[in-house]
Amino acid sequence: QSVLTQPPSVSGAPGQRVTISCTGSSSNIGAHYDVHWYQQLPGTAPKLLIYGNNNRPSGVPDRFSGSKSGTSASLAITGLQAEDEAAYYCQSYDSSLSGYVMFGGGTKLTVL
Amino acid sequence: EVQLVQSGAEVKKPGESLKISCKGSGYSFTNYWIGWVRQMPGKGLEWMGIIYPGDSDTRYSPSFQGQVTISADKSSYTAYLQWSSLKASDTAMYYCARQVNPAESFQDWGQGTLITVSS
């Protein structure tokens, strides 16, 4: 069971807006560690989507945005497109037990 | 261009040993952490551990401590993940990825190495 909790699945129609939550605790997201998001298309390696809570690497469309508040973070996707259908993972750092990298359990986005 | 190129797929029997590799290029290999991530069939990403090739500082997830060994060779810009005795439950895709420090994002990923352990 992941320390960072994500919904197993979300869905939306093309053009709609969806959000994916990532809930942590006082030893990771709540301890002011940044949250990062990855997109994993079927059969491919994960790709960095959002870093440092709300920053997009070069080449990532501005339809993707991130936010963080307290012990939670969210990924928002606006103007949903068929090619956004993928698994999405959040990642942060946990200061307990000598410090560890943490991934959320992942959320499968289905574009209806 | 930054690249992390991993070794090819492997099919092994339970009890066998294995060492897979991840070769970095296009950046200063000793100044970035390399992490290893497991993805079992149909499952999510699991962080296994990281190494800083500059001084070989290595950290393991409690779930993988004692189960695998992470190492790096600065001279060949290569990080390694090894098992001394594979189990069927080690069947998975394994990714390497680089990060500036353990709290930062994994900026670049290898293509993955599929390990199949079956008798």
Side-chain angles (χ1 to χ4, degrees):
Chain A
Q1 189 169 353
S2 302
V3 172
L4 302 179
T5 302
Q6 298 181 234
S9 64
V10 297
S11 62
Q16 283 189 332
R17 177 181 187 270
V18 296
T19 61
I20 298 172
S21 61
C22 175
T23 302
S25 69
S26 59
S27 64
N28 42 69
I29 299 175
H32 307 295
Y33 291 111
D34 286 343
V35 178
H36 320 290
W37 292 90
Y38 302 88
Q39 177 191 59
Q40 187 176 32
L41 297 169
T44 69
K47 167 193 160 187
L48 180 62
L49 196 65
I50 296 287
Y51 67 94
N53 305 316
N54 55 14
N55 300 288
R56 288 185 306 277
S58 173
V60 173
D62 60 6
R63 301 187 296 104
F64 296 89
S65 63
S67 63
K68 174 188 156 183
S69 178
T71 59
S72 295
S74 289
L75 172 71
I77 310 172
T78 58
L80 208 55
Q81 298 180 4
E83 56 261 38
D84 298 333
E85 186 159 294
Y88 293 84
Y89 297 89
C90 61
Q91 176 231 318
S92 188
Y93 183 87
D94 196 286
S95 58
S96 62
L97 297 174
S98 303
Y100 299 104
V101 176
M102 296 285 178
F103 284 104
T107 300
K108 175 67 166 69
L109 168 63
T110 300
V111 181
L112 302 170
Chain B
E1 178 197 7
V2 172
Q3 282 195 307
L4 294 172
V5 179
Q6 298 185 228
S7 49
E10 302 268 5
V11 179
K12 308 292 280 186
K13 295 188 186 316
E16 291 186 330
S17 63
L18 177 64
K19 191 173 188 177
I20 63 175
S21 65
C22 169
K23 185 176 175 66
S25 63
Y27 72 99
S28 178
F29 184 73
T30 54
N31 289 346
Y32 288 80
W33 293 78
I34 292 281
W36 287 95
V37 177
R38 182 175 79 174
Q39 188 167 38
M40 298 178 77
K43 301 298 184 182
L45 306 176
E46 298 176 88
W47 179 75
M48 302 176 71
I50 48 174
I51 187 166
Y52 189 71
D55 61 7
S56 294
D57 183 5
T58 308
R59 305 176 190 182
Y60 293 92
S61 161
S63 299
F64 292 93
Q65 179 84 49
Q67 308 304 308
V68 297
T69 301
I70 294 171
S71 60
D73 177 0
K74 287 188 289 190
S75 66
S76 62
Y77 311 116
T78 303
Y80 299 96
L81 176 66
Q82 68 181 86
W83 294 259
S84 59
S85 180
L86 286 160
K87 302 184 277 287
S89 57
D90 292 318
T91 294
M93 181 72 82
Y94 293 86
Y95 295 101
C96 66
R98 72 161 188 153
Q99 56 182 169
V100 172
N101 68 60
E104 297 296 329
S105 61
F106 287 106
Q107 300 169 263
D108 302 281
W109 294 69
Q111 82 277 20
T113 296
L114 180 62
I115 306 300
T116 304
V117 183
S118 174
S119 55

